[in-house]
Amino acid sequence: MENLETRKHLSIGQCLGISGIMILASLILSPITFLSNSIGKELSMFIYYIAAIGITLWIAFMMRRKTTAKKSFNWTSPNDKIIPFIIIGTLGIAFGITSPIIELIPMPDMFKDMFMELGKGKGIFPFLMVVLAAPILEEIIFRGIMLDGLLEKYSPLKSIIITSVLFGIVHLNPWQFVSAMAIGCFSGWIYYHTRNLTYSILIHAANNFCAYAMGKLFGDSSMEMTYAESYGGLLNYILIIVSSIIITLLCLYFIRKEFKKNWDKEEGVS
């Protein structure tokens, strides 16, 4: 019989349920996008996204409050020293790890058309959705609710992997799965050490802004050219990958060093 203590925290089953709700809400509310004829494609997509993720967030929050009695999240002021390293590390992961892996996965024309359509948005709503709304809402769900709950019951590694995999799955395609999985692991590691959603949102926003900016920079050609062609040749591409990996490792080293300083201070106080 499950003891009373373990009931105070979210379970893996509940996290699976929240992910399923997000997917189901995305499917059920998809007709909202048909409003594009009357209010415009970009606004209809923005409303659709806010509705689907908003409903999921509300259900997840109510589930969290009922299970744990928690009604708030940690928004304390972040450590300014690690913010640049978090952002640069995120970009390093995008250029040095996820992009090369994603390119190895063949993409059907249907998905190419879908991503090109998403990248064509020129108004404010695509930017708000990708760079602001998604990082805030999704990080509250996956790190602030799911990961925060699992960390109370399971090991950090298990908790981070589970939430990162679920984060990748809800994107419903292998290309975004790779990016979401990598960013989810990085964001989860930072959240485990800080319990601060501000860092996670910054990581997510930096990753999405990078993808948004690259789409604007290369336009439709980003779906037709290889990364090597986009960067001016294979040698340039290799140099960018190697440099990005080195920069990422240096950022991780500095961030971990800052975490260790905090651990030493806490031990000294105790």
Side-chain angles (χ1 to χ4, degrees), residues 179-240:
S179 179
M181 178 73 182
I183 293 302
C185 287
F186 183 40
S187 179
W189 178 67
I190 295 293
Y191 185 83
Y192 162 64
H193 286 292
T194 65
R195 295 299 200 277
N196 191 317
L197 269 175
T198 305
Y199 296 117
S200 297
I201 291 171
L202 283 174
I203 291 169
H204 198 149
N207 179 76
N208 285 15
F209 178 77
C210 177
Y212 181 85
M214 293 294 287
K216 293 299 180 184
L217 180 63
F218 293 105
D220 292 350
S221 61
S222 63
M223 292 289 103
E224 303 299 333
M225 296 189 300
T226 65
Y227 282 110
E229 291 171 337
S230 300
Y231 296 143
L234 181 59
L235 179 60
N236 290 343
Y237 184 38
I238 293 174
L239 289 174
I240 288 174

Side-chain angles (χ1 to χ4, degrees), residues 65-124:
R65 189 171 70 172
K66 182 178 179 180
T67 305
T68 69
K70 291 182 177 180
K71 300 180 181 180
S72 61
F73 300 95
N74 184 6
W75 303 100
T76 55
S77 299
N79 180 350
D80 294 339
K81 289 183 179 180
I82 68 173
I83 290 178
F85 295 92
I86 283 177
I87 295 175
I88 294 171
T90 300
L91 299 180
I93 291 172
F95 284 103
I97 299 175
T98 59
S99 293
I101 296 175
I102 290 171
E103 190 171 34
L104 297 176
I105 306 174
M107 183 180 293
D109 292 337
M110 178 183 70
F111 281 96
K112 287 183 180 179
D113 294 339
M114 181 184 73
F115 286 125
M116 282 193 292
E117 188 66 29
L118 290 174
K120 286 180 180 179
K122 297 180 180 179
I124 188 63

